[in-house]
């Protein structure tokens, strides 16, 4: 039985869920996505030219979900600096809770070039983080300084998350690991803004 009413959004939603459940793109094929949608894998070509095009669309979806999670209102962030570290903490939590999405977003190669809408999505986290950083910093920063600080903080966090997600760390306690990353990020931030 084939389902006649599949669409681009359903394909992306299904692939996003499968990548989360499988902890990455391994075993997330056109046939597996189509099986979940109860259609032939060739039907997916009506919406995407290849599996990699689906992965690119999923990447944009993941970034959107991450930003939504990071930007939830909070009563705990009393200062702009609190807000900065709350967002970083939520960034860490998001990817710890979804290691498959982290792998797709930051570790697994994607063939071809990102479509323009995905390129825009890829740039959004850094843009939003730069705005939060600018508000948190006690002294004015140049655009270059802001970009450098954002890049260093993100790269440090990406590295720590990658080590944890790939089981390459000696720390086995998730709470301690999160506290370590958060504490080190704060120290790094304070060193960088001096």
């Amino acid at each position: 039985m084939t389902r006649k009413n599949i669409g681009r959004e359903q394909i992306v939603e299904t692939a996003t869920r499968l990548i989360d459940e499988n902890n990455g793109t391994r075993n997330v094929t056109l046939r597996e996505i189509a099986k979940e949608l109860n259609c032939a894998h060739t039907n997916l070509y009506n919406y995407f030219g290849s599996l990699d095009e689906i992965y690119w669309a999923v990447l944009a979806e993941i970034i959107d979900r991450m930003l939504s999670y990071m930007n939830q209102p909070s009563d705990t962030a009393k200062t702009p600096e609190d807000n900065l570290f709350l967002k970083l903490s939520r960034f860490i939590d998001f990817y710890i809770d979804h290691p498959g999405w982290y792998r797709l977003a930051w570790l697994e190669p994607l063939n071809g070039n990102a479509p323009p809408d995905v390129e825009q999505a890829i740039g959004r986290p850094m843009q939003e983080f730069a705005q939060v950083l600018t508000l948190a910093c006690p002294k004015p920063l140049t655009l270059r300084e802001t970009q450098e600080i954002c890049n260093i903080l993100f790269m440090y966090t990406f590295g720590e998350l990658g080590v944890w997600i790939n089981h390459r760390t000696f720390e086995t306690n998730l709470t301690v690991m999160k506290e370590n990353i958060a504490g080190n990020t704060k120290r790094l931030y304070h060193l960088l803004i001096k």
Side-chain angles (χ1 to χ4, degrees):
M1 175 190 300
T2 60
R3 184 186 295 172
K4 306 250 186 233
N5 297 340
I6 68 163
R8 187 174 176 85
E9 295 79 21
Q10 289 174 294
I11 295 167
V12 172
E13 177 61 36
T14 300
T16 302
R17 180 178 48 79
L18 289 172
I19 290 168
D20 194 26
E21 291 171 359
N22 285 288
N23 286 323
T25 58
R26 185 179 301 178
N27 300 323
V28 179
T29 64
L30 288 172
R31 289 186 191 281
E32 284 303 311
I33 296 166
K35 181 179 169 184
E36 289 288 317
L37 291 168
N38 197 25
C39 69
H41 75 280
T42 54
N43 288 3
L44 303 182
Y45 288 113
N46 292 327
Y47 304 94
F48 295 95
S50 68
L51 181 59
D52 280 300
E53 284 185 24
I54 294 172
Y55 290 161
W56 282 113
V58 170
L59 176 57
E61 176 67 19
I62 290 166
I63 290 170
D64 187 53
R65 290 182 187 194
M66 179 202 52
L67 290 172
S68 293
Y69 181 75
M70 286 174 56
N71 292 325
Q72 293 175 41
S74 169
D75 295 334
T76 61
K78 305 295 183 200
T79 68
E81 188 173 291
D82 290 344
N83 189 41
L84 171 71
F85 293 114
L86 175 63
K87 289 186 184 301
L88 276 170
S89 176
R90 287 180 175 170
F91 175 82
I92 293 164
D93 289 340
F94 181 83
Y95 282 121
I96 289 294
D97 291 342
H98 303 285
W101 293 350
Y102 177 86
R103 285 188 177 96
L104 174 67
W106 308 111
L107 299 176
E108 295 176 351
L110 293 173
N111 294 319
N113 295 320
D117 61 319
V118 177
E119 264 186 44
Q120 279 187 318
I122 291 169
R124 280 183 53 216
M126 194 64 84
Q127 291 167 354
E128 289 191 22
F129 187 67
Q131 291 171 350
V132 174
L133 177 76
T134 301
L135 292 172
C137 192
K139 65 177 188 174
L141 297 172
T142 66
L143 178 60
R144 182 180 173 143
E145 289 170 328
T146 302
Q147 290 171 336
E148 287 175 350
I149 292 170
C150 286
N151 194 38
I152 290 168
L153 292 176
F154 261 111
M155 289 304 127
Y156 166 75
T157 307
F158 291 149
E160 289 285 1
L161 285 169
V163 168
W164 173 266
I165 286 170
N166 288 303
H167 309 289
R168 301 291 195 271
T169 182
F170 295 111
E171 182 56 62
T172 57
N173 184 305
L174 180 60
T175 303
V176 171
M177 187 276 305
K178 285 181 183 181
E179 289 171 359
N180 288 343
I181 295 174
N184 288 340
T185 303
K186 269 187 183 179
R187 283 188 284 283
L188 191 54
Y189 164 77
H190 287 289
L191 287 170
L192 290 167
I193 64 169
K194 284 187 179 182

